[in-house]
Amino acid sequence: MHVGAETHVGRIRHLNEDDYHVAPKLLAVADGMGGHAAGEVASRLVISALADWPGWDEPASALRACLLHANDLIIRGAKADTTQAGMGTTATVARIDNGKLHYAHVGDSRLYLLRHSILKRLTHDHSVVAELQRSGQLTENEARTHPQRNLLTRALGVSGHIDIDLGEIDLALYDRLLLCTDGLNVVLTDQEIQHILTTPDPQKAAEQLVAAANARGGPDNITVIVADIGKEDLL
Ligand code: CA
């Protein structure tokens, strides 16, 4: 797998509360939220839980168990330190094994698949505006500028009972994966993202996506991972 990754604070915020992880078979982005820099703590907790997770023999159950564990850690952390009360994070995680992609997802970060130059979203946003869109009450463009676009319906750290979306697909040679936080897609359409992803080098593609989001004002932290599937990932 050839991977490029880039994270940037954006042009408005003072702190970067996003975090990400790139390991040989594991990719993840997390977008933290909460006052007093607590969002940074929440996103770091889920990323370290993933990095330290001991066993991946059964990827789907490992992903689920790890995110449930991270959810507990964040809730306990918030209880132990009142300055971190209310912290939470999104988590979008991809595990690549034997030609299969297993993914787990909570919140409004995204996982996309670019195959034969067509970009397809694999995750559903867990946000109020995404639900209004799904029920036909908002268009994509209205959702992008909606005053409540930051309100999540699901995030880690909010409740002990957390519903985690899981999915899996078979990968093919030359597939490209994109993981991103909403700082990217709040200012770029899927069509624009697809166009930038024609850049062959994954690191350059990641940098160009971040630059394009900043050129649109960079209203939020931006994190992207671009991963190209190689022959070794299909064995
Ligand atoms: Ca964000």
Side-chain angles (χ1 to χ4, degrees):
M1 198 162 50
H2 294 281
V3 184
E6 188 79 351
T7 188
H8 195 276
V9 66
R11 293 174 62 188
I12 304 288
R13 305 271 174 102
H14 297 290
L15 285 175
N16 189 349
E17 297 190 304
D18 287 356
D19 205 346
Y20 71 97
H21 182 68
V22 172
K25 296 176 171 196
L26 189 66
L27 309 168
V29 295
D31 177 348
M33 61 213 77
H36 302 100
E40 227 178 312
V41 175
S43 58
R44 201 184 315 126
L45 276 172
V46 65
I47 293 298
S48 9
L50 284 160
D52 297 342
W53 195 252
W56 292 99
D57 289 348
E58 289 178 55
S61 46
L63 283 167
R64 187 167 180 280
C66 183
L67 291 190
L68 289 174
H69 171 65
N71 189 50
D72 283 344
L73 288 179
I74 296 165
I75 290 172
R76 268 188 273 152
K79 275 190 189 141
D81 179 348
T82 52
T83 65
Q84 294 174 2
M87 69 174 168
T89 184
T90 72
T92 300
V93 192
R95 174 82 192 173
I96 294 98
D97 237 333
N98 302 317
K100 264 198 189 330
L101 162 70
H102 292 268
Y103 57 93
H105 164 74
V106 177
D108 67 348
S109 301
R110 288 181 178 175
L111 169 64
Y112 291 90
L113 169 70
L114 184 78
R115 178 174 285 173
H116 307 310
S117 307
I118 305 293
L119 188 67
K120 188 180 160 195
R121 219 184 285 172
L122 299 181
T123 49
H124 292 292
D125 297 348
H126 300 140
S127 66
V128 171
V129 291
E131 272 172 26
L132 291 173
Q133 251 180 284
R134 281 199 281 277
S135 62
Q137 296 173 69
L138 280 184
T139 66
E140 172 99 30
N141 271 334
E142 286 167 345
R144 213 179 283 284
T145 54
H146 196 279
Q148 288 184 317
R149 64 180 178 278
N150 292 320
L151 275 190
L152 297 187
T153 51
R154 276 194 244 170
L156 296 183
V158 175
S159 149
H161 303 279
I162 177 85
D163 213 357
I164 295 162
D165 286 354
L166 293 171
E168 62 170 272
I169 60 161
D170 290 325
L171 290 168
L173 193 59
Y174 308 126
D175 278 351
R176 174 172 266 192
L177 303 175
L178 168 68
L179 288 85
C180 68
T181 57
D182 69 327
L184 182 76
N185 54 265
V186 78
V187 285
L188 297 178
T189 65
D190 284 5
Q191 215 175 356
E192 290 169 322
I193 293 170
Q194 177 180 292
H195 179 71
I196 296 170
L197 283 174
T198 56
T199 305
D201 180 72
Q203 182 60 35
K204 288 210 173 80
E207 288 166 12
Q208 284 174 19
L209 286 167
V210 168
N214 275 326
R216 291 278 169 80
D220 196 358
N221 306 149
I222 312 145
T223 301
V224 302
I225 300 174
V226 177
D228 289 339
I229 299 303
K231 281 192 196 115
E232 69 284 2
D233 302 306
L234 304 179
L235 302 173

